[in-house]
């Protein structure tokens, strides 16, 4: 009886832990450069350089600095990849190297990839459509068939790193960076050992710019320090950006068995939808946060920091303020929005906030919300406007995607 018990494999906990981080952000290429700049409050929002935006109502963007694709991407991939896919491949390589995991040494089909997207390879698509209209079909690249596609980052990451296990893509705009990680956790619970996940996004090109301007929420300010001001009396919309974070999510037991360094645990997640336009009712953000905390077995008093969605649109900021006040009470928890240094990165934004939450836990610091000088919610939100040194064991990350998507994730320290 005793020998039989000893021979049985240990029962796995089903926990999902983060073991690798890779970042391509407007205020830093690579995790170390980005995190140093983020804690220091250094912004990457500048005038658009990827195209001539002088004739558009919005002229600022968060663009990843110093990125030379030839230094990071195999030459054979350059003709077939969009700019945002090149950024994603760069971040994925860093994340896997950071994790110390080698998919080639793992059992077949035990490692996969799940990423988030919002627009796909818009810049690549625009270029090929311009060729079609101006020169004819014979001048359109065959790679157009997939380089624009929502799932292209998942596919290219999987191929480059031999990830033959489960794969997928989530298309929920800004909420996608959390939703993809949750889908990765589902795959771990089904038996996978490691999933490369998160999101890197961006459409800083005329086609993408026109689509975002049509939403009516972009800031028209030409001052980088006054353009994106969530929860501020001068808030007038958001600044768009490119980039995000790719994360390695592993089964906790498998990670510990190989002696991996663990940043933290995905302890809770939930997704909700807002009521349909004209239907009335409370937006779904508060409910998503409550459900995520409930799954984690935690209460509002356990949360050390909230990484806010922070849209920069006054009406949406007020909705988020109401949700946080209802959940935590007036000034009940520190709230931060480091995305004021990057702009909103669509499907890459929430995964970058998850990376910030993990490093906040590691380094006992809450990064700042820069440039907000006149917070309209000063009586209700404890908005962190300068880096705050304090222990962090539990972080709540919130995200909302255009169309009514809400997502919440609870990240906790690994024990």
């Amino acid at each position: 009886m005793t020998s039989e018990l000893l021979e049985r494999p240990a029962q796995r906990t089903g926990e999902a832990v983060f073991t690798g981080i890779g970042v391509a952000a407007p205020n830093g290429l690579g995790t170390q450069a980005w995190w140093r700049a983020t804690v220091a409050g250094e912004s990457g929002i500048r005038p658009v350089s990827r195209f001539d935006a002088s004739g558009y109502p919005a002229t600022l963007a968060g663009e990843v600095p110093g990125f030379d694709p030839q230094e990071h991407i195999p030459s054979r991939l350059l003709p077939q990849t969009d700019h945002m896919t090149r950024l994603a491949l760069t971040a994925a390589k860093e994340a896997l190297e950071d994790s110390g995991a080698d998919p080639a040494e793992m059992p077949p089909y035990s490692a996969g990839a799940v990423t988030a997207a919002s627009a796909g390879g818009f810049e690549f698509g625009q270029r090929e459509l311009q060729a079609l209209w101006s020169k004819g079909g014979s001048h359109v690249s065959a790679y157009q068939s997939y380089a624009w596609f929502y799932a292209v980052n998942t596919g290219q990451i999987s191929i480059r790193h031999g990830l033959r296990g489960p794969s997928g893509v989530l298309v929920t705009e800004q909420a996608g960076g959390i939703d993809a990680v949750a889908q990765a956790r589902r795959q771990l619970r089904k038996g996978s050992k490691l999933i490369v996940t998160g999101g890197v996004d961006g459409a800083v090109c005329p086609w993408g710019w026109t689509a975002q301007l049509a939403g009516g929420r972009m800031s028209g300010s030409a001052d980088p320090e006054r353009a994106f001001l969530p929860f501020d009396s001068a808030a007038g919309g958001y600044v768009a950006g490119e980039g995000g974070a790719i994360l390695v999510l592993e089964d906790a037991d498998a990670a510990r068995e190989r002696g991996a360094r663990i940043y933290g645990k995905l302890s809770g997640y939930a997704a909700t939808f807002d009521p349909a336009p004209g239907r009335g009712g409370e937006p779904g953000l508060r409910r998503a946060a409550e459900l995520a905390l409930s799954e984690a077995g935690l209460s509002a008093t356990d949360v050390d920091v909230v990484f806010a969605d922070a849209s920069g649109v006054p009406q949406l900021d007020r909705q988020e303020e109401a949700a946080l006040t209802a959940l935590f009470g007036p000034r009940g928890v520190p709230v931060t929005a480091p995305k004021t240094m990057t702009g909103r990165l669509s499907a890459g934004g929430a995964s970058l906030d998850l990376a910030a939450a993990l490093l906040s836990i590691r380094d006992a610091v809450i990064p700042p919300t820069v440039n907000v000088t006149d917070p309209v919610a000063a009586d209700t939100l404890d908005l962190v406007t300068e880096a705050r040194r304090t222990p962090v064991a539990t972080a709540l990350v919130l995200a909302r995607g255009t169309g009514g998507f809400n997502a919440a994730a609870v990240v906790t320290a690994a024990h």
Side-chain angles (χ1 to χ4, degrees):
M1 180 74 171
T2 304
S3 62
E4 290 178 359
L5 288 173
L6 291 173
E7 291 172 2
R8 292 176 184 172
Q11 185 175 3
R12 296 196 177 274
T13 63
E15 294 180 344
V17 295
F18 296 94
T19 59
I21 300 173
V23 169
N27 60 338
L29 177 59
T31 302
Q32 183 175 349
W34 158 75
W35 185 237
R36 182 203 61 77
T38 298
V39 173
E42 297 174 4
S43 176
I45 294 176
R46 299 178 182 87
V48 174
S49 67
R50 294 190 58 77
F51 69 98
D52 182 5
S54 59
Y56 292 82
T59 60
L60 300 177
E63 298 175 341
V64 177
F67 179 71
D68 182 352
Q70 296 183 8
E71 296 179 359
H72 301 277
I73 306 299
S75 59
R76 64 179 176 81
L77 290 179
L78 294 177
Q80 57 182 282
T81 50
D82 182 78
H83 177 67
M84 65 98 182
T85 299
R86 296 170 183 175
L87 293 173
L89 285 167
T90 301
K93 183 175 184 291
E94 182 188 19
L96 276 167
E97 290 177 349
D98 184 46
S99 75
D102 184 356
E105 297 178 354
M106 299 175 65
Y109 310 107
S110 65
V114 178
T115 67
S118 65
F122 248 42
E123 187 174 7
F124 193 106
Q126 175 182 319
R127 184 176 67 245
E128 298 308 316
L129 286 174
Q130 285 176 320
L132 173 65
W133 296 332
S134 62
K135 300 177 182 179
S138 62
H139 294 271
V140 176
S141 169
Y143 298 124
Q144 165 70 356
S145 61
Y146 61 80
W148 72 271
F149 190 48
Y150 304 106
V152 65
N153 289 356
T154 291
Q156 291 286 15
I157 291 169
S158 298
I159 293 168
R160 189 179 188 190
H161 297 286
L163 307 173
R164 297 191 291 170
S167 64
V169 60
L170 279 294
V171 186
T172 54
E173 211 255 337
Q174 186 87 13
I178 292 176
D179 291 335
V181 171
Q183 177 68 3
R185 185 180 65 167
R186 294 187 187 101
Q187 299 299 345
L188 296 180
R189 288 174 172 175
K190 293 178 180 179
S192 296
K193 291 190 174 183
L194 179 152
I195 303 291
V196 176
T197 187
V200 171
D201 209 350
V204 184
C205 61
W207 198 14
W209 223 239
T210 301
Q212 295 201 65
L213 285 167
R217 294 177 176 177
M218 290 185 74
S219 171
S221 173
D223 182 351
E225 295 185 359
R226 303 303 297 164
F228 184 26
L229 301 171
F231 307 115
D232 191 281
S233 62
Y238 71 90
V239 172
E242 64 182 16
I246 298 295
L247 309 166
V248 174
L249 194 69
E250 286 191 67
D251 172 83
D253 295 303
R256 292 187 177 106
E257 284 170 8
R258 68 176 185 86
R261 181 264 330 279
I262 296 174
Y263 286 104
K265 181 172 66 172
L266 179 61
S267 295
Y269 160 79
T272 61
F273 292 98
D274 289 339
R279 294 284 298 273
E282 180 186 354
L285 186 63
R286 178 176 63 87
R287 187 160 55 92
E290 290 174 340
L291 291 171
L293 286 169
S294 177
E295 187 196 28
L298 300 172
S299 67
T301 57
D302 296 310
V303 176
D304 298 306
V305 61
V306 173
F307 286 79
D309 175 70
S311 73
V313 176
Q315 178 185 1
L316 298 179
D317 285 348
R318 288 193 295 271
Q319 291 176 359
E320 186 166 22
E321 175 198 352
L324 293 172
T325 304
L327 187 57
F328 296 100
R331 299 183 61 85
V333 65
V335 176
T336 190
K339 59 174 60 70
T340 52
M341 291 173 264
T342 64
R344 288 180 71 82
L345 309 182
S346 297
S351 57
L352 191 63
D353 277 347
L354 284 171
L358 293 168
L359 296 180
S360 290
I361 291 170
R362 184 193 70 180
D363 295 345
V365 60
I366 300 174
T369 306
V370 302
N371 298 327
V372 174
T373 58
D374 185 22
V376 294
D379 293 337
T380 53
L381 294 186
D382 177 15
L383 193 65
V384 178
T385 55
E386 295 183 358
R388 186 178 299 181
R389 298 284 174 178
T390 183
V392 177
T394 300
L396 174 65
V397 181
L398 302 177
R400 290 176 292 178
T402 302
F405 300 102
N406 302 284
V410 178
V411 177
T412 59
H415 299 293

